[in-house]
Amino acid sequence: MMIGEYFTWAAGLAKSSPFTYAVVNVGTMVVLGVAIGLIADGIFRLLRVDLGSYKKEFEDESAVIKQ
């Protein structure tokens, strides 16, 4: 129930101190974004997906189309 407690605390904070709530809200989004990005990066590394190869393939195809 930690998430429920967080939202209860955040709702109280929004009423008492809107600016602090905004800072906490943006900070929470940044932390979650970084965490999700790192998890996604870890999954790509575990699956050995090379996004660079897709870029090279796309560039090769676009060069053929332009000619």
Side-chain angles (χ1 to χ4, degrees):
M1 277 305 216
M2 286 182 62
I3 293 177
E5 293 171 3
Y6 169 77
F7 283 116
T8 303
W9 171 77
L13 185 62
K15 290 179 184 176
S16 64
S17 179
F19 181 75
T20 305
Y21 170 73
V23 171
V24 168
N25 194 16
V26 170
T28 302
M29 288 188 282
V30 167
V31 169
L32 286 174
V34 168
I36 291 170
L38 290 174
I39 290 169
D41 188 52
I43 291 171
F44 274 73
R45 287 177 191 248
L46 284 174
L47 296 176
R48 296 184 179 159
V49 174
D50 182 18
L51 294 176
S53 65
Y54 294 113
K55 183 179 177 184
K56 290 175 193 168
E57 180 181 329
F58 177 74
E59 288 174 351
D60 291 343
E61 288 178 4
S62 66
V64 171
I65 293 171
K66 288 180 183 177
Q67 292 176 354

